[in-house]
Amino acid sequence: MISRRRMISALAATGAVGAAAACSPSGSGDSGSGSGSGKGGKSLTFRLWDDTAKAAYEKSFEAFEKDSGWKVSIDVVAWDDYWTKLPLDVASGDAPDVYLMNSANYVQFQEAGNLVAIDDVVDGADKDQWQKAVVDLYTRDGKLWGVPQLWDSIALFYNKELLDAEKIDPADLSFDPSKDSDPLREAGKALTVDKEDRHPGDKGFDADSRSRFGFNSSCDRQAIIGPFLASNGADWENDKDQYAFASKEGIATFQYLADLVNKDQIAPDAADTNENGDLCRDMFAQGKLALFQSGPYSLSAIDEAVGDSFEWGIAPMVAGPAGAKSLVHGVVAVGNAKADDDQQEGIAKLLTWLGSADGQRPFGEMGVSFPGNSDVQDTFVDYWKDKGQDVSVFIDAAKDPAPADTGAKANAGLTAAMPVFQEIFIGRKSAKDGLPEAQKAGNEAMK
């Protein structure tokens, strides 16, 4: 089973504590040369960064090879080396023929002329079935630059036993920073207890002895910051790929999230969650966190850790004044525009296959993630249905998402802004003071 935090969300460089924490490696070693030379006949190289996804691609490529006559060699380069090795291979002419790409890095490869324009090489009805949010994310200068492979969105994991005891319906939760309280805060207080079963606001409540928390307000760009900002009507970036989150709505959102930690005391301490991006997920699996907003990348870890210890489910993400606005991130397969001419036919055929329902069916059937082709997304739904979970809520969340990060230096911008975000969550800076500072630092880094 693949770790989707590493396969997709980490790919987007928007994990719990920024690019450094999210981009942890999941695979290692190589199974191919990484060269697109095609020596020895009709052969292609395909590169990815997660060894645990290799089996699904191997199954897919078996059918492709029989149909097309092109043999595909899979090259696995661990995440820690992927974005260092790839630019060097591109510069030396040794880049693979087709390789996986994330949204935080593709623009620099596209602007340098290294990527095949998908519209020029892929025809057919399959394109109409590709996940729209991912297509939009990788469309630039009027063309699409990658074939959607895997994607994720955001929803709310909940501990059914704990919520039933407090008569809380997770589908009814919402937030509003302009109000003195709201359903999320009220539910969070009811679900948070100290060692004497007292709740925040109760006489004698001891925050230092909390044994259970209500909600995972933490410095997580994809699951918390992005959705809450958009759901409160704030923009992350403007149309020039510059940060614009330090608006009135953005400041209110960040202060609200920080207050859930430090004032309302319903979320784990930021000093802990800033250091460990998986802490809230692990606490949920241990029954120490009642509500956990996250993506399908957390499914496997939660399912394996919870076992039969308690009943859990998945509800729509927490909605704000502007509605529920999930982030959607996806991984695409890109073609090497600089590969030899005799490779281009095979590259076009492989990209077409990777966008087809048959080419992507193993992703869902083997529980990797939601396939980018909507015709086979039910395979992933069925995989989790057999395990007792309805993951269709993630599909609904992807229908009207908030814009994700764009721009050639998105990684650099988030890396610069994230330490200031962490200071806001921990309470050392107010959102009013810290958010303009983070916006300035991020924009400077993206110049």
Side-chain angles (χ1 to χ4, degrees):
M1 170 65 65
I2 188 172
S3 168
R4 280 168 296 279
R5 162 68 79 174
R6 292 168 180 171
M7 188 62 206
I8 302 178
S9 302
L11 312 177
T14 57
V17 292
C23 300
S24 54
S26 177
S28 60
D30 294 341
S31 58
S33 67
S35 170
S37 63
K39 293 180 180 179
K42 295 174 67 174
S43 64
L44 298 164
T45 50
F46 175 81
R47 181 178 295 181
L48 71 162
W49 52 76
D50 199 312
D51 192 56
T52 51
K54 183 182 175 184
Y57 278 105
E58 286 178 333
K59 185 175 181 180
S60 175
F61 292 159
E62 285 178 7
F64 170 74
E65 291 169 9
K66 291 178 181 179
D67 181 66
S68 69
W70 286 83
K71 181 175 178 59
V72 183
S73 174
I74 298 178
D75 178 23
V76 181
V77 176
W79 178 265
D80 279 352
D81 300 320
Y82 197 90
W83 301 110
T84 301
K85 182 174 174 58
L86 184 60
L88 295 175
D89 288 343
V90 169
S92 65
D94 291 326
D97 296 302
V98 178
Y99 48 97
L100 289 191
M101 177 61 66
N102 71 348
S103 59
N105 288 287
Y106 92 93
V107 174
Q108 59 183 307
F109 289 89
Q110 179 262 329
E111 289 183 342
N114 295 313
L115 305 184
V116 170
I118 301 304
D119 309 271
D120 296 340
V121 298
V122 177
D123 297 318
D126 283 311
K127 292 172 65 176
D128 296 332
Q129 304 305 317
W130 293 346
Q131 183 66 34
K132 184 179 183 301
V134 181
V135 170
D136 292 344
L137 189 58
Y138 289 90
T139 296
R140 193 175 181 87
D141 298 332
K143 290 189 176 183
L144 176 63
W145 299 98
V147 176
Q149 296 293 281
L150 314 170
W151 64 271
D152 61 36
S153 60
I154 301 300
L156 185 67
F157 295 78
Y158 64 93
N159 184 315
K160 190 175 187 300
E161 296 175 14
L162 296 179
L163 269 66
D164 284 351
E166 298 294 337
K167 298 181 180 180
I168 295 171
D169 185 346
D172 291 339
L173 298 180
S174 61
F175 77 97
D176 189 341
S178 69
K179 302 290 181 61
D180 291 335
S181 190
D182 53 39
L184 177 60
R185 281 177 280 188
E186 292 303 314
K189 289 179 181 179
L191 295 164
T192 301
V193 296
D194 66 9
K195 65 179 181 180
E196 301 295 335
D197 287 332
R198 293 172 295 212
H199 304 274
D202 290 350
K203 183 178 180 180
F205 174 74
D206 180 12
D208 291 334
S209 72
R210 285 171 293 179
S211 59
R212 190 176 72 228
F213 297 82
F215 181 70
N216 66 312
S217 182
S218 60
C219 196
D220 184 325
R221 159 68 179 130
Q222 183 175 5
I224 299 296
I225 294 175
F228 271 80
L229 278 173
S231 297
N232 194 41
D235 293 323
W236 176 255
E237 292 177 332
N238 59 27
D239 57 7
K240 296 181 180 179
D241 296 339
Q242 294 179 324
Y243 287 152
F245 47 67
S247 61
K248 177 182 177 182
E249 295 82 5
I251 290 171
T253 303
F254 263 85
Q255 194 59 58
Y256 176 90
L257 292 170
D259 285 347
L260 293 181
V261 178
N262 304 301
K263 178 182 176 183
D264 301 303
Q265 300 179 315
I266 68 172
D269 291 340
D272 298 321
T273 58
N274 282 350
E275 294 299 320
N276 182 359
D278 292 329
L279 178 63
C280 291
R281 183 202 67 194
D282 295 342
M283 291 178 68
F284 177 82
Q286 295 163 6
K288 298 178 181 179
L289 178 68
L291 297 166
F292 175 56
Q293 187 158 294
S294 187
Y297 46 79
S298 295
L299 279 166
S300 179
I302 289 174
D303 182 62
E304 293 171 2
V306 171
D308 297 326
S309 59
F310 63 84
E311 187 176 355
W312 57 280
I314 311 167
M317 58 169 280
V318 180
K325 294 286 187 179
S326 171
L327 287 191
V328 175
H329 279 294
V331 177
V332 295
V334 299
N336 181 359
K338 301 292 180 65
D340 294 342
D341 290 343
D342 57 1
Q343 293 297 104
Q344 293 302 328
E345 177 190 354
I347 289 172
K349 286 181 179 294
L350 183 55
L351 289 171
T352 300
W353 172 257
L354 285 172
S356 70
D358 289 339
Q360 295 194 12
R361 186 169 283 107
F363 303 160
E365 290 180 341
M366 299 176 71
V368 174
S369 190
F370 282 106
N373 190 310
S374 61
D375 279 350
V376 286
Q377 287 178 6
D378 59 346
T379 59
F380 188 67
V381 174
D382 291 343
Y383 178 91
W384 281 101
K385 184 178 181 180
D386 290 343
K387 292 177 173 289
Q389 294 298 333
D390 181 6
V391 301
S392 62
V393 64
F394 291 109
I395 296 177
D396 293 335
K399 292 177 180 178
D400 184 27
D405 303 62
T406 58
K409 297 184 178 180
N411 269 339
L414 186 60
T415 299
M418 190 61 71
V420 186
F421 291 167
Q422 292 179 328
E423 292 290 288
I424 295 172
F425 271 87
I426 209 168
R428 295 195 186 109
K429 292 180 183 288
S430 67
K432 183 179 179 180
D433 293 336
L435 215 54
E437 178 184 340
Q439 179 170 295
K440 181 179 179 181
N443 285 334
E444 287 291 331
M446 291 191 291
K447 286 184 178 179

